[in-house]
Amino acid sequence: MRVICVTGGKGGIGKTTISINLAIAYAKMKKKVLLFDADLSLANVDIRLGLTPNKNINDFLSGNCDLSEVCITGPHGIKVIPSSSGIQKMAELSAAESFELIRSFSSLTDDIDIMIIDMAPGISTQVIELTHASQDILIVVCNDPASLMDSYAIIKILHQKYGRDRFGVLVNKVKNLQEGYDVFTRFQDAIVKFINVSMHYIGHLPQDDYVSIAACEGVSIVDKFPHCEASIAFNHLCHGLNHWHEENSMSGGIQFFFERLIQNRLVPKDKPCIA
């Protein structure tokens, strides 16, 4: 199983839209997909897919059910793990709770090809650790200074604290291919001046009014408008991610994800950052 984290630091840059449509696009390519809403306290993946779960991650961590009872089936057979909304404590899970959550994923992932994590905004310890635990980190940026700065912060922390040096970059909400590549080039040039990391341009997603229409109707754009620009771009994104993964193959699966979280917690607090 491959674990892809969709992150970017700033809220409102389209991480959830990307996670949902990426999951559906992979499912339509006959991949078995698990979509995890990792915004544990302000979740909305289930709403965006028109799903009505009876239980969520909070119920599981409270001991009221198994994780399999939380997991629900979405469009095209994707598996969805919904989180809670409006429960503050979920934003501050203890180490034991984090371990139990990830350990329990093993009961759901035997026949899963791809696990997609829709990461919460911000740079909290919980966000950084879940991001680092993933095999592939997809950084989402927009043509906006705040978005670029927040994404820079994510990369800097992951590199300095954990030595991560390989990132995929997706430019969202652009007018055309040239604008997407120009934004990536500016971002890459700024990053490599200060941090020695590898930046791989995965592609761009166009500014498309059909995206908001599909979101309001609680469906994915790749289902509702399969021939629009954004849907075509999502299909290209899947192929771009596959090509990037094949070029930089990493062993993994849920074991990799769990072991990374364990390693995170075992890093001494006074360990110096990597220059």
Side-chain angles (χ1 to χ4, degrees):
M1 189 188 71
R2 180 182 181 192
V3 182
I4 304 172
C5 177
V6 180
T7 188
K10 187 177 183 296
I13 57 175
K15 294 188 295 294
T16 299
T17 295
I18 291 166
S19 299
I20 287 171
N21 285 281
L22 189 58
I24 299 296
Y26 269 123
K28 293 176 79 170
M29 295 177 182
K30 308 304 180 184
K31 298 292 186 181
K32 295 179 180 178
V33 183
L34 175 64
L35 175 57
F36 173 36
D37 190 343
D39 194 345
L40 300 181
S41 59
L42 290 172
N44 61 2
V45 163
D46 52 329
I47 296 172
R48 293 286 301 276
L49 283 173
L51 303 174
T52 53
N54 294 320
K55 301 180 185 298
N56 57 46
I57 289 293
N58 183 53
D59 295 306
F60 165 70
L61 292 175
S62 299
N64 298 325
C65 65
D66 294 329
L67 191 60
S68 59
E69 297 177 75
V70 175
C71 187
I72 56 178
T73 302
H76 301 278
I78 68 170
K79 300 297 183 182
V80 180
I81 300 180
S83 292
S84 57
S85 183
I87 301 179
Q88 187 176 11
K89 69 175 184 178
M90 291 299 295
E92 302 171 350
L93 294 187
S94 68
E97 289 171 325
S98 294
F99 292 163
E100 178 60 21
L101 176 58
I102 302 306
R103 185 194 64 77
S104 297
F105 282 153
S106 61
S107 65
L108 305 175
T109 56
D110 288 343
D111 61 346
I112 296 295
D113 299 312
I114 297 171
M115 176 177 172
I116 297 173
I117 303 175
D118 178 25
M119 188 52 62
I123 55 174
S124 68
T125 298
Q126 185 168 286
V127 167
I128 294 298
E129 289 183 350
L130 282 171
T131 302
H132 172 52
S134 305
Q135 292 160 294
D136 296 323
I137 302 173
L138 181 61
I139 303 289
V140 180
V141 300
C142 297
N143 192 6
D144 170 70
S147 167
L148 298 176
M149 286 300 297
D150 287 356
S151 292
Y152 169 80
I154 289 280
I155 291 172
K156 179 180 178 181
I157 293 170
L158 287 167
H159 179 68
Q160 290 186 337
K161 189 172 183 180
Y162 298 117
R164 296 300 293 264
D165 59 2
R166 173 179 169 272
F167 300 88
V169 178
L170 171 66
V171 185
N172 194 21
K173 302 179 182 180
V174 294
K175 297 176 183 177
N176 50 50
L177 185 150
Q178 187 60 51
E179 182 186 357
Y181 190 73
D182 289 345
V183 171
F184 167 75
T185 301
R186 294 202 315 270
F187 184 56
Q188 181 185 46
D189 290 346
I191 292 287
V192 298
K193 285 181 181 179
F194 305 101
I195 311 174
N196 183 24
V197 295
S198 171
M199 309 286 288
H200 187 95
Y201 182 50
I202 302 297
H204 78 284
L205 291 172
Q207 182 73 51
D208 192 332
D209 291 340
Y210 287 122
V211 172
S212 58
I213 295 174
C216 289
E217 294 186 16
V219 295
S220 68
I221 191 170
V222 294
D223 268 342
K224 181 69 175 180
F225 304 106
H227 303 297
C228 73
E229 283 188 80
S231 291
I232 294 170
F234 274 113
N235 290 326
H236 290 163
L237 173 59
C238 288
H239 291 297
L241 283 167
N242 288 339
H243 181 66
W244 179 48
H245 185 68
E246 289 165 1
E247 284 184 342
N248 301 274
S249 181
M250 296 178 68
S251 61
I254 197 65
Q255 292 81 9
F256 175 91
F257 192 53
F258 182 48
E259 288 169 8
R260 270 283 172 84
L261 279 178
I262 295 290
Q263 291 168 6
N264 293 350
R265 294 293 185 174
L266 293 179
V267 170
K269 298 299 182 181
D270 58 348
K271 180 178 179 180
C273 290
I274 299 173

